[in-house]
Amino acid sequence: MRAAVLAVLVSALLAGCRRQEARPPEGGGSEQQTPSPTATAAPPGAVLFISADTRGYLGPCGCSENMRGGIGRAAFQVQQARKGGQPVLYIDGGNSLFGETHLKADQVPQEERKAKALADAFRTMGIAARATGELDDTRGAAFRQGLGLPEVASGGVKVLDAGTRKVGVVAAASGEALVKASQQAREQGADFVVGLLDQPLEAAQAAAALPGLAANLVVATHSAGEFSAEENRLVRSDVPVVAVQSKGRSLLRVDLTYAPAKGAFTLQRSQGDVEREVTALEQRMALLDKEIALPGIDPKLKALKQGKRDELSARKQGLLTAPPAPADDVNGFATRFLPLESNLPTAPDTQALVKAYDADVGQLNLAWAKAHGQDCPLPAKGQAGFVGSAVCADCHPDAAAVWEGTKHHHAWETLEEVGKQHHLNCVGCHVTGWQKPGGVCRLDKVAGREDVGCESCHGPGSRHVDAPSPATIVGKPGQAVCVTCHNAENSPHFDFATYLPRILGPGHGGTGKSGQAGEPPAK
């Protein structure tokens, strides 16, 4: 019966697919870019690419499938556009170099190395200007300035050549400062002005309504919190306001089209058909993402759905990168968000910088731990400490057998496979008791605490070992425990009710086999 159902599903999907396309390999060339079937020659104008709120991300963590982002993919988009014959300007809005305003001592080697890798990547993209924010100054202004990037000081102006027009880039931390700087940009000859405001979207909306603002576009460059910019946002008003999806998951593309004579720029609103089609494609992709991430999905069906998703993504990319039609005798601009989907190519030179970082940072972190690392403090009197999964297995062999068949048991191995077992951004969700009293606080002393063990979910077990009782252990951990790692970033399709049965079995809260036997689910 199961095979028959699968056959019907596969046949239906095959009938609905016009063409299956192979996923482009990483570092692919220009031939991998799928053009729009309606693409036309680029009109006179220029292309702006804007990033912001990258928060120290070189790329997605890789915990789940089809994760957006990656500086290599962003670089490919910019480099590819430069082959179109128009002037291309890449601008960064700031809050890009670090993810936190304060670092612990053990984080410093990794985060400084990452910031340098990001700066080098910006250079491969030919960065023309960038603003700065508090997440750029985590290691101080001297460190930031030492990276040698073309900065626009807060309240400052930079005017860039863009063919027969000039683009003014202004940076500010308040609406009043943005108004003043935008007026200065006009005085310096800017035909089109981009305002980079170091504020969340709501504050940028208020700034865009201020009298005297001489900007054509305002970009909110600092989201309110780590998970506050999960989507791209465009607010259509007299001065459009945008907020780009954080952590390097999308780029903003602005296409300028020039009329024969200079004059004011008008936002083109004739992109409705394209926007509707892109929205429809994204909705279909989102449904496929959920299906692809379902625990226990048949591998053949999963591959088929992935192929369809890649086809839809390629169609969407073609629509988003096709040049807009020029408006007769009007200087126009069109804004588009470019989600950096997982199947898009990466720029080889930029991706090489990411690989070099990955190779260096593990060694840096391990060396720091050996030279300066300190053991976790002991638990307070009367509080439980960690004992390790092997001790749990002595009294709970059935539960241990179930656990050994789950992906939790292989969490450390998944890091080793990609060489990230010494990356501080990753290790906390792949060992037991990370940075907790009586747990593990040093990368050079992980032995015995690898993997997501019993105590990751049930809490430290020393009191339970001394006095076995339901009162001395967390018998049935709830969703709040899971989402400390299965959060919106690392596990965007996590559903507690769907995933819980995958880690249960005889002697471990379930009556049947562990649902993960055979194929551990993606996060």
Side-chain angles (χ1 to χ4, degrees):
M1 176 63 73
R2 184 171 182 267
V5 173
L6 175 60
V8 171
L9 286 172
V10 170
S11 298
L13 278 168
L14 283 171
C17 296
R18 281 182 263 174
R19 178 171 56 91
Q20 294 295 339
E21 298 184 3
R23 300 187 76 180
E26 295 290 295
S30 60
E31 69 278 6
Q32 295 167 311
Q33 190 78 11
T34 303
S36 166
T38 58
T40 58
V47 180
L48 314 181
F49 287 95
I50 302 173
S51 60
D53 207 30
T54 302
R55 292 178 170 259
Y57 273 69
L58 287 168
C61 69
C63 297
S64 296
E65 294 161 303
N66 297 316
M67 298 183 81
R68 287 180 178 177
I71 195 69
R73 294 184 184 120
F76 183 87
Q77 297 301 310
V78 176
Q79 294 174 8
Q80 197 70 10
R82 289 205 167 97
K83 298 178 181 179
Q86 289 184 322
V88 174
L89 300 175
Y90 169 54
I91 301 162
D92 180 62
N95 290 299
S96 296
L97 299 179
F98 298 94
E100 304 170 76
T101 54
H102 297 89
L103 300 176
K104 298 177 182 178
D106 62 339
Q107 294 178 283
V108 171
Q110 171 175 301
E111 298 306 317
E112 286 191 347
R113 177 67 180 83
K114 192 191 303 180
K116 291 175 182 177
L118 275 166
D120 289 339
F122 288 162
R123 276 186 277 271
T124 69
M125 298 165 73
I127 188 167
R130 77 176 301 266
T132 64
E134 66 170 351
L135 292 177
D136 297 304
D137 281 343
T138 298
R139 296 300 295 154
F143 175 87
R144 187 200 78 229
Q145 293 165 356
L147 297 175
L149 296 173
E151 295 182 351
V152 181
S154 183
V157 176
K158 189 167 188 177
V159 178
L160 306 168
D161 288 327
T164 59
R165 304 292 192 275
K166 293 184 181 296
V167 171
V169 180
V170 301
S174 69
E176 292 72 17
L178 187 68
V179 169
K180 182 178 179 180
S182 67
Q183 294 173 351
Q184 292 174 347
R186 296 293 184 185
E187 293 168 0
Q188 295 178 27
D191 300 288
F192 186 88
V193 176
V194 177
L196 305 175
L197 184 64
D198 186 19
Q199 294 288 341
L201 179 66
E202 292 73 15
Q205 287 180 253
L210 289 174
L213 181 67
N216 298 94
L217 178 69
V218 174
V219 182
T221 66
H222 194 176
S223 55
E226 184 181 1
F227 298 110
S228 300
E230 294 299 298
E231 297 179 356
N232 293 306
R233 299 283 304 278
L234 166 64
V235 179
R236 297 184 183 276
S237 55
D238 290 342
V239 178
V241 181
V242 297
V244 185
Q245 188 179 30
S246 66
K247 301 174 184 176
R249 290 173 287 181
S250 295
L251 283 173
L252 174 67
R253 173 172 172 151
V254 182
D255 286 87
L256 306 181
T257 54
Y258 301 158
K262 290 186 177 183
F265 277 82
T266 302
L267 177 65
Q268 292 182 268
R269 300 181 183 272
S270 59
Q271 306 295 312
D273 291 342
V274 170
E275 291 176 358
R276 282 190 290 271
E277 186 169 355
V278 167
T279 298
L281 289 170
E282 288 187 332
Q283 290 172 344
R284 294 172 65 186
M285 289 168 62
L287 289 174
L288 285 169
D289 282 342
K290 291 183 179 180
E291 294 168 354
I292 290 167
L294 280 174
I297 183 173
D298 184 274
K300 292 182 180 179
L301 183 59
K302 180 177 180 176
L304 188 61
K305 289 180 178 291
Q306 183 65 56
K308 182 61 180 178
R309 186 196 188 279
D310 289 346
E311 177 191 344
L312 297 178
S313 176
R315 286 168 56 188
K316 183 182 76 168
Q317 185 69 10
L319 291 167
L320 291 173
T321 56
D328 294 338
D329 299 322
V330 174
N331 294 290
F333 71 101
T335 60
R336 312 177 196 181
F337 294 108
L338 295 183
L340 300 175
E341 301 289 357
S342 59
N343 68 313
L344 295 181
T346 61
D349 54 351
T350 311
Q351 196 62 22
L353 296 172
V354 178
K355 290 181 178 179
Y357 162 81
D358 283 340
D360 290 348
V361 72
Q363 298 178 20
L364 287 171
N365 287 339
L366 190 59
W368 192 96
K370 290 178 178 178
H372 308 288
Q374 296 183 0
D375 294 330
C376 289
L378 295 174
K381 185 177 180 179
Q383 298 298 311
F386 290 86
V387 297
S389 296
V391 174
C392 303
D394 288 341
C395 293
H396 301 280
D398 292 341
V402 172
W403 170 69
E404 289 172 357
T406 69
K407 194 168 184 178
H408 284 165
H409 178 54
H410 301 283
W412 184 255
E413 179 184 336
T414 62
L415 287 186
E416 291 181 318
E417 288 173 352
V418 293
K420 293 189 176 183
Q421 69 272 27
H422 296 135
H423 285 218
L424 293 175
N425 300 108
C426 305
V427 68
C429 286
H430 293 256
V431 300
T432 301
W434 179 250
Q435 297 289 355
K436 295 180 180 179
V440 54
C441 288
R442 295 177 56 154
L443 287 174
D444 59 330
K445 291 187 176 182
V446 176
R449 300 297 172 83
E450 300 94 339
D451 302 324
V452 179
C454 308
E455 295 166 293
S456 295
C457 301
H458 296 281
S462 64
R463 291 182 61 220
H464 187 66
V465 171
D466 294 337
S469 164
T472 56
I473 200 72
V474 179
K476 292 185 177 181
Q479 181 174 345
V481 174
C482 303
V483 297
T484 57
C485 285
H486 289 278
N487 57 34
E489 177 186 338
N490 300 329
S491 194
H493 303 295
F494 176 74
D495 177 76
F496 182 69
T498 301
Y499 278 63
L500 181 61
R502 308 295 296 174
I503 59 171
L504 301 180
H508 193 239
T511 56
K513 285 185 175 181
S514 168
Q516 281 191 321
E519 75 290 325
K523 259 190 170 182

Coordinates of all heavy atoms in Angstrom, one line a residue, residues 469-508:
S469 N 14.6 9.1 41.3 CA 13.2 9.5 41.6 C 12.8 10.4 40.5 O 13.6 11.2 39.9 CB 13.1 10.2 42.9 OG 11.9 10.8 43.1
P470 N 11.5 10.4 40.2 CA 11.0 11.4 39.2 C 11.2 12.8 39.6 O 11.2 13.7 38.8 CB 9.5 11.0 39.1 CG 9.4 9.6 39.5 CD 10.5 9.4 40.6
A471 N 11.4 13.0 40.9 CA 11.5 14.4 41.5 C 12.9 14.9 41.2 O 13.1 16.1 41.4 CB 11.2 14.4 43.0
T472 N 13.9 14.1 40.8 CA 15.2 14.5 40.7 C 15.7 14.6 39.2 O 16.9 14.7 38.9 CB 16.2 13.6 41.5 OG1 16.0 12.3 41.0 CG2 15.9 13.7 43.0
I473 N 14.8 14.5 38.3 CA 15.1 14.6 36.9 C 13.9 15.2 36.1 O 12.7 15.1 36.6 CB 15.4 13.2 36.3 CG1 16.2 13.3 35.0 CG2 14.2 12.4 36.1 CD1 17.7 13.8 35.2
V474 N 14.1 15.7 35.0 CA 13.0 16.2 34.1 C 12.6 15.0 33.3 O 13.2 14.6 32.3 CB 13.5 17.4 33.2 CG1 12.3 17.8 32.3 CG2 14.0 18.5 34.0
G475 N 11.4 14.5 33.7 CA 11.0 13.2 33.0 C 10.5 13.4 31.6 O 10.8 12.7 30.7
K476 N 9.7 14.5 31.4 CA 9.1 14.7 30.0 C 9.4 16.2 29.7 O 8.6 17.1 29.9 CB 7.6 14.5 30.0 CG 7.3 13.0 30.2 CD 5.8 12.8 30.0 CE 5.4 11.3 30.1 NZ 4.0 11.0 30.0
P477 N 10.6 16.4 29.1 CA 10.9 17.8 28.7 C 10.0 18.3 27.6 O 9.5 17.5 26.8 CB 12.4 17.7 28.2 CG 12.5 16.3 27.8 CD 11.7 15.5 28.8
G478 N 9.6 19.6 27.7 CA 8.7 20.1 26.7 C 9.3 20.8 25.6 O 10.5 20.8 25.4
Q479 N 8.5 21.5 24.8 CA 9.0 22.2 23.6 C 10.0 23.3 23.9 O 10.9 23.5 23.1 CB 7.8 22.8 22.9 CG 8.1 23.5 21.6 CD 6.9 24.0 20.8 OE1 5.8 23.5 21.1 NE2 7.1 24.9 19.8
A480 N 9.9 23.9 25.1 CA 10.8 25.0 25.4 C 12.2 24.5 25.4 O 13.1 25.3 25.1 CB 10.4 25.6 26.8
V481 N 12.5 23.3 25.8 CA 13.8 22.8 25.8 C 14.3 22.6 24.4 O 15.5 22.9 24.0 CB 13.9 21.4 26.6 CG1 15.3 20.8 26.4 CG2 13.5 21.6 28.0
C482 N 13.5 22.1 23.5 CA 13.9 21.8 22.1 C 14.2 23.1 21.3 O 15.2 23.1 20.6 CB 12.7 21.1 21.4 SG 12.2 19.5 22.2
V483 N 13.5 24.1 21.5 CA 13.6 25.3 20.7 C 14.9 26.1 21.1 O 15.2 27.1 20.4 CB 12.4 26.2 20.7 CG1 11.2 25.4 20.1 CG2 12.1 26.7 22.1
T484 N 15.6 25.7 22.1 CA 16.8 26.4 22.4 C 17.8 26.2 21.2 O 18.7 27.0 21.0 CB 17.5 26.0 23.7 OG1 17.6 24.5 23.7 CG2 16.6 26.3 24.9
C485 N 17.7 25.0 20.6 CA 18.5 24.7 19.4 C 17.7 24.7 18.1 O 18.1 25.1 17.1 CB 19.3 23.4 19.6 SG 20.7 23.5 20.7
H486 N 16.5 24.1 18.2 CA 15.6 24.0 17.1 C 14.8 25.3 17.0 O 13.6 25.4 17.1 CB 14.6 22.8 17.2 CG 15.2 21.5 17.1 ND1 15.5 20.9 15.8 CD2 15.7 20.6 18.0 CE1 16.0 19.7 16.0 NE2 16.2 19.5 17.3
N487 N 15.6 26.4 16.7 CA 14.9 27.7 16.7 C 14.6 28.1 15.3 O 14.9 27.4 14.3 CB 15.8 28.8 17.4 CG 17.2 28.8 16.8 OD1 17.4 28.7 15.6 ND2 18.2 29.1 17.7
A488 N 14.1 29.4 15.1 CA 13.7 29.8 13.8 C 14.8 29.9 12.8 O 14.6 29.7 11.6 CB 13.1 31.2 13.9
E489 N 16.1 30.1 13.2 CA 17.2 30.1 12.3 C 17.7 28.8 12.0 O 17.9 28.4 10.8 CB 18.3 30.9 13.0 CG 19.6 31.0 12.1 CD 20.7 31.7 12.8 OE1 20.5 32.5 13.7 OE2 21.9 31.4 12.4
N490 N 18.0 27.9 13.0 CA 18.6 26.6 12.7 C 17.6 25.6 12.2 O 18.0 24.6 11.5 CB 19.3 26.1 14.0 CG 20.3 27.0 14.5 OD1 21.0 27.7 13.7 ND2 20.5 27.1 15.8
S491 N 16.4 25.7 12.6 CA 15.4 24.6 12.3 C 14.0 25.3 12.0 O 13.1 25.2 12.7 CB 15.3 23.7 13.5 OG 14.6 22.5 13.2
P492 N 14.0 26.0 10.8 CA 12.8 26.8 10.6 C 11.5 26.1 10.4 O 10.4 26.6 10.6 CB 13.2 27.5 9.2 CG 14.2 26.7 8.6 CD 15.0 26.1 9.8
H493 N 11.6 24.8 10.1 CA 10.3 24.0 9.9 C 10.1 23.1 11.1 O 9.3 22.1 11.0 CB 10.4 23.2 8.6 CG 10.7 24.0 7.4 ND1 9.8 24.9 7.0 CD2 11.8 24.1 6.6 CE1 10.2 25.5 5.9 NE2 11.5 25.1 5.7
F494 N 10.7 23.3 12.2 CA 10.5 22.4 13.4 C 9.1 22.5 13.9 O 8.5 23.6 14.1 CB 11.5 22.9 14.5 CG 11.3 22.1 15.8 CD1 11.7 20.8 15.9 CD2 10.7 22.7 16.9 CE1 11.6 20.1 17.1 CE2 10.5 22.0 18.1 CZ 11.0 20.7 18.2
D495 N 8.5 21.4 14.2 CA 7.2 21.3 14.8 C 7.3 20.2 15.8 O 7.6 19.0 15.6 CB 6.2 20.9 13.7 CG 4.8 20.7 14.3 OD1 4.1 21.7 14.6 OD2 4.4 19.5 14.5
F496 N 7.1 20.6 17.1 CA 7.3 19.7 18.2 C 6.5 18.4 18.1 O 7.0 17.3 18.3 CB 6.9 20.5 19.5 CG 7.1 19.7 20.8 CD1 8.4 19.4 21.2 CD2 6.0 19.2 21.5 CE1 8.6 18.7 22.4 CE2 6.2 18.5 22.7 CZ 7.5 18.2 23.1
A497 N 5.2 18.5 17.7 CA 4.4 17.3 17.6 C 4.8 16.4 16.6 O 4.7 15.2 16.7 CB 2.9 17.7 17.4
T498 N 5.4 16.9 15.5 CA 5.9 16.1 14.4 C 7.2 15.4 14.7 O 7.5 14.3 14.4 CB 6.0 16.9 13.1 OG1 4.7 17.5 12.8 CG2 6.5 16.0 11.9
Y499 N 8.1 16.2 15.4 CA 9.4 15.7 15.6 C 9.5 14.8 16.8 O 10.4 13.9 16.9 CB 10.4 16.9 15.7 CG 10.9 17.4 14.4 CD1 10.0 18.0 13.5 CD2 12.2 17.4 14.1 CE1 10.4 18.5 12.3 CE2 12.6 17.9 12.9 CZ 11.7 18.5 12.0 OH 12.2 19.0 10.8
L500 N 8.7 15.0 17.8 CA 8.8 14.3 19.1 C 8.8 12.8 18.9 O 9.6 12.0 19.5 CB 7.8 14.7 20.1 CG 7.8 14.0 21.4 CD1 9.1 14.3 22.2 CD2 6.6 14.5 22.3
P501 N 7.9 12.2 18.1 CA 7.8 10.8 17.9 C 9.1 10.2 17.4 O 9.4 9.0 17.5 CB 6.7 10.6 17.0 CG 5.8 11.7 17.2 CD 6.7 12.9 17.4
R502 N 9.9 11.0 16.7 CA 11.2 10.5 16.1 C 12.2 10.2 17.1 O 13.2 9.5 16.8 CB 11.7 11.6 15.1 CG 10.7 12.1 14.1 CD 10.3 11.1 13.1 NE 11.4 10.6 12.3 CZ 11.3 9.6 11.5 NH1 10.2 8.9 11.4 NH2 12.4 9.2 10.8
I503 N 12.1 10.6 18.3 CA 13.1 10.3 19.3 C 12.5 9.4 20.5 O 13.2 9.2 21.5 CB 13.7 11.6 20.0 CG1 12.6 12.4 20.6 CG2 14.5 12.4 18.9 CD1 13.2 13.6 21.4
L504 N 11.3 8.9 20.3 CA 10.7 8.1 21.3 C 10.8 6.6 20.8 O 10.9 6.3 19.6 CB 9.2 8.5 21.5 CG 9.0 9.9 22.0 CD1 7.5 10.1 22.1 CD2 9.8 10.2 23.3
G505 N 10.6 5.7 21.8 CA 10.6 4.3 21.5 C 10.5 3.5 22.8 O 10.3 4.1 23.8
P506 N 10.5 2.2 22.7 CA 10.4 1.4 23.9 C 11.4 1.7 25.0 O 12.6 1.8 24.8 CB 10.7 -0.1 23.4 CG 10.4 0.0 21.9 CD 10.8 1.4 21.5
G507 N 10.9 2.1 26.2 CA 11.7 2.5 27.3 C 12.1 3.9 27.2 O 12.8 4.4 28.1
H508 N 11.6 4.6 26.2 CA 11.9 6.1 26.1 C 10.7 6.8 25.6 O 10.7 7.6 24.7 CB 13.1 6.3 25.1 CG 13.6 7.7 25.1 ND1 13.6 8.5 24.1 CD2 14.2 8.4 26.2 CE1 14.2 9.7 24.4 NE2 14.5 9.6 25.7

